[in-house]
Structures are given as structure tokens and as C-alpha cells.
Amino acid sequence: MKYAGAALAAAAILAVSGAPVRAEDVITLGASVQLTGSSANIGRYYRDAYNLTLDKINAAGGIKIGGKSYRLALKLLDNQSDVNLSIRQYVQLISSDKVNFLLGPFASNFALSDSSVAEKYQIPMVQGGGASTQIYSRHYRYIFGTLPSADDYYASTVDMFGKLDPKPRTVALVAADDSFDVSVANGTRKLLQAAGMKIAVDETYREGSSDFSSTLAQIKAANVDAILWSGHETEALNFIRQMKSLNANPKDYYGFTVGVPTEDFRKALGKDADYAFGMTSWLPSESLKDRWFGDAAAFAAAYRAKYGYDPDYHAASGAADVETFAIALEKAGALDPKRVRDAIAGISFDSLYAHIKYGENGQIVLPQIVIQIQNGKLVPIYTDKFINKPQYPIPAWDKRG
């Protein structure tokens, strides 16, 4: 039994609830997340979503397994945005801290490596931080994910292109060289080819780059209709700032895989965030019903009230990861990792994030919603049809007021 590492977590629950909790009545979920370093701004979404969801489940009585009630606890480590440290910490969580099950880190590069630890020790990991198809192409049995496939991130966008006036015909595809962005680029090339569009510029940059001047020079020279960009939020902010400083403009459209849904993106860019297109797998809709929070809107309100900032899809998927374990444990009726793994594989439930049902490869299937920043606000634009009117074509930087 793996209860030794749960002792401190049980004490933490006691401190919060005031009720005595025995170590053997605690199920501990372990995770290594970016709490400091270059990815800490996104890592906090997972930390906060994990804790909020655990608290909500425990406040509702915890989890019943075979007629016995358990509380959930979290053993959280800071990987300092270092993928090698993250690997070592997941080994520690299993072999030394004796956690029962694993939640994931942020980012595909991390999930790709950390999931190998879960597979080696045959401890289920549910993660909402990595979308690369590489994570799920190795036929692992103990990794499950709540982000949709990175290959399909631009599927809704390319579908929308066929309904815009004017229709974009030529594209600059710009992507980082990490696992997530390589998957996005590979999938997007196929989508563009199937749509009959021309990739006039196809550039890969090193993850963490801050200078995009040479890529923007190519884009200006090619005079493309659209830019489809894939990378992390800090890189997206630098790219947009340099677009403005160089007055580099596509004729009609530019869109990003990450950043646009977050409050931080809008705060960092101010009015320069306007017109940017992006995507999200989640919006805080009352139509997304949830066993513990009621619905996604109530989850978003509780999250903001506790942490002082709005959740995005990272937080929502993190919450769904915790809920996956809660549902699966009750379904399995045991703490045995293999039985819980099999329960996760067959799970099907509605959550604040989406309907959760994992494919044979362990990854959820979920369409992206195209969004745009309009007058400082996030506006949903397109799913498989227009929800709101886009501000399109995007005006050139030197033509804005």
C-alpha cells in the first residue's frame, strides 16, 4: 500500500477541515508542475485547478470506494520549468513519496518525458498540459490526456477560411521546434494542403526564441494572406510586438495557438492585442454541467474568487483531470493502479471542461473554438459555423487608430 507519502497530505486536510483524517483514508495525487522558471505563468493554472477541484470534491464528502470514504490530497513539486528535473520528480513521487496516482505537468515536452515514468511504474497519469501526438503514439497504456490533438489545432481555423470574404489563399506557417509545435505544424500542413491553400513561408524557430525579425522579413516579402503561428505565450507576445515595430502585416489574418485566451495576453499587449485570432478548447459556459461545481461558469467564478484571475482551458482541463480520478476510483472500487487504469480507459462523463471520454490512444477528441480579441474582449467566433462576426480583414499596423 502506498500511504507513507500521504501522511503530510492528510495533515494538510486536517488543518483545513478541522476533522481528523487518518493517513489510510487519503488518496494522494502527485504532480510536478512549473511553479517557477519560464513556464510558471501557465503552470499556476494547473496548481490552482488541482487544488480547487480537490477541495471541492473533499467538501462534498470525498470519494466512496467499497462503502469507505476517502479524501483526496495533492503532493505537488516545482520542476522549475526544467524537463530533466521533472522526470526525476515523477520518479520521486512514485518511489519515495508513494503517491497513489499522477497528474500531469504543463507542456508537451514535459508530458512526453514524464509519461514514460508513469508507464515504467504502471501508475496512471491523467494530464491536461500536453497535446502533442507524440505522447500518444507509443502505445502506452498508463497515459491519458484532456487536451485535443495538436495536429488538429488549426482544423476549425482552416475550415473557417473557406467561409471568409476574402478567402485566404496563401499562408505563412511559423512554429517552434518543440514536440507540441512540431505536431501543430505537421497537422496544419496537411489541413492546408487538403484545403488547396499554398504555404508561401514555412519557418521553424528554436523554442524560447525572442527575435523573429528574419521570419517577419520573409513574410513581408511573400505578401501572404494569413499567418498561422504556433509556440508559447511569451514567444507570441514577442512576435506580435515585432510585427508592429516592423509594420509586418499579412493581407487578412493572423492567428495563434496559445496566449490569446488568457487575461495576461490582453494585459501585456493592451490595444495591440485587438484583432488577434486564437483558439480555445473551452469557454466557461453554463451548458457544461458538472457534478461538483454545477457548471463551467460556476467553476470559473469560484476560481476567480479564490485566485484573483480568470481560468482558461489549461485550468479547466486540469480540473477535469482530477475529476477523472474521482470518477474512475469509484468505478474501479479499488486503489489498484491497473484496475483504476482500466476504469479511466472506459470512462464517460460530463464535466465543466467537456464530455470526458478517452480514445484508444488515451487522448480526448475535442474541437477548437476560434476566438478573437475585439476591443479588449475575448469573442468566440467559429466552431463549425460562425458564432459572432469576426473583425476581418485585420487592418495593417500603420492603419490603426
Side-chain angles (χ1 to χ4, degrees):
M1 300 295 285
K2 299 178 177 178
Y3 293 125
L8 292 176
I13 291 175
L14 173 60
V16 171
S17 66
V21 178
R22 298 180 303 169
E24 60 267 34
D25 295 337
V26 174
I27 299 169
T28 304
L29 308 180
S32 168
V33 172
Q34 295 89 330
L35 303 181
T36 57
S38 60
S39 298
N41 195 46
I42 301 297
R44 65 179 172 147
Y45 285 103
Y46 294 93
R47 175 198 62 198
D48 294 344
Y50 293 164
N51 279 310
L52 180 63
T53 310
L54 260 75
D55 289 347
K56 196 72 172 178
I57 292 171
N58 287 334
I63 298 170
K64 288 191 180 301
I65 301 176
K68 180 179 178 181
S69 293
Y70 291 84
R71 295 291 189 266
L72 289 177
L74 178 65
K75 177 69 175 181
L76 191 67
L77 302 176
D78 176 13
N79 63 35
Q80 302 173 33
S81 302
D82 181 333
V83 70
N84 293 317
L85 177 59
S86 183
I87 295 168
R88 295 196 297 274
Q89 288 183 335
Y90 273 103
V91 173
Q92 173 192 325
L93 286 166
I94 295 171
S95 59
S96 300
D97 298 326
K98 306 295 184 183
V99 303
N100 296 94
F101 305 103
L102 299 174
L103 295 166
F106 164 61
S108 291
N109 276 5
F110 286 74
L112 183 65
S113 300
D114 297 336
S115 57
S116 292
V117 178
E119 188 72 14
K120 176 182 177 181
Y121 288 91
Q122 298 190 347
I123 301 295
M125 171 186 279
V126 182
Q127 63 89 21
S132 170
T133 53
Q134 283 184 279
I135 300 168
Y136 305 98
S137 62
R138 298 167 295 178
H139 306 293
Y140 283 0
R141 289 175 49 79
Y142 284 84
I143 178 68
F144 299 89
T146 45
L147 290 184
S149 170
D151 285 30
D152 297 329
Y153 263 45
Y154 272 116
S156 299
T157 298
V158 174
D159 184 60
M160 182 182 71
F161 279 175
K163 301 172 184 176
L164 289 172
D165 183 19
K167 294 180 177 62
R169 303 290 187 189
T170 59
V171 173
L173 179 61
V174 183
D177 62 358
D178 62 286
S179 177
F180 166 76
D181 297 299
V182 168
S183 288
V184 170
N186 289 339
T188 304
R189 290 187 190 99
K190 295 175 183 175
L191 291 167
L192 293 170
Q193 184 178 20
M197 300 180 67
K198 178 182 178 182
I199 303 176
V201 176
D202 192 345
E203 275 290 299
T204 301
Y205 66 88
R206 185 165 185 170
E207 183 185 15
S209 294
S210 59
D211 183 1
F212 298 98
S213 55
S214 62
T215 298
L216 288 167
Q218 290 184 61
I219 290 172
K220 289 184 74 170
N223 195 27
V224 299
D225 297 330
I227 299 172
L228 299 182
W229 189 94
S230 185
H232 293 287
E233 184 171 332
T234 301
E235 299 155 5
L237 294 173
N238 286 328
F239 187 83
I240 291 173
R241 288 171 177 139
Q242 289 169 39
M243 284 178 69
K244 180 182 180 182
S245 67
L246 297 171
N247 194 32
N249 305 286
K251 292 178 186 173
D252 302 321
Y253 185 100
Y254 54 79
F256 300 83
T257 49
V258 300
V260 178
T262 69
E263 185 178 348
D264 288 339
F265 181 90
R266 299 189 291 278
K267 284 183 176 178
L269 291 174
K271 288 188 66 64
D272 291 342
D274 284 345
Y275 304 105
F277 284 90
M279 62 190 68
T280 182
S281 56
W282 176 79
L283 290 171
S285 168
E286 292 180 353
S287 65
L288 291 169
K289 301 302 182 186
D290 185 86
R291 171 176 164 184
W292 287 280
F293 289 94
D295 57 46
F299 164 76
Y303 189 101
R304 181 166 187 84
K306 184 166 185 176
Y307 301 116
Y309 70 99
D310 290 328
D312 72 350
Y313 68 90
H314 297 99
S317 63
D321 299 342
V322 176
E323 292 189 354
T324 290
F325 276 117
I327 298 283
L329 281 160
E330 292 180 341
K331 183 179 177 183
L335 299 182
D336 175 68
K338 183 178 185 307
R339 289 178 64 176
V340 174
R341 179 265 163 214
D342 290 345
I344 295 170
I347 213 166
S348 178
F349 70 98
D350 291 325
S351 79
L352 62 94
Y353 175 64
H355 182 77
I356 303 299
K357 183 176 177 59
Y358 300 99
E360 289 188 5
N361 66 351
Q363 190 171 24
I364 196 172
V365 176
L366 191 63
Q368 294 283 354
I369 304 165
V370 179
I371 57 176
Q372 186 182 32
I373 305 302
Q374 297 183 356
N375 301 315
K377 298 185 182 302
L378 188 156
V379 179
I381 297 295
Y382 187 87
T383 52
D384 57 352
K385 61 181 181 299
F386 285 104
I387 307 168
N388 289 293
K389 184 178 181 181
Q391 292 181 338
Y392 179 87
I394 297 175
W397 290 103
D398 61 354
K399 304 297 182 186
R400 302 185 188 185

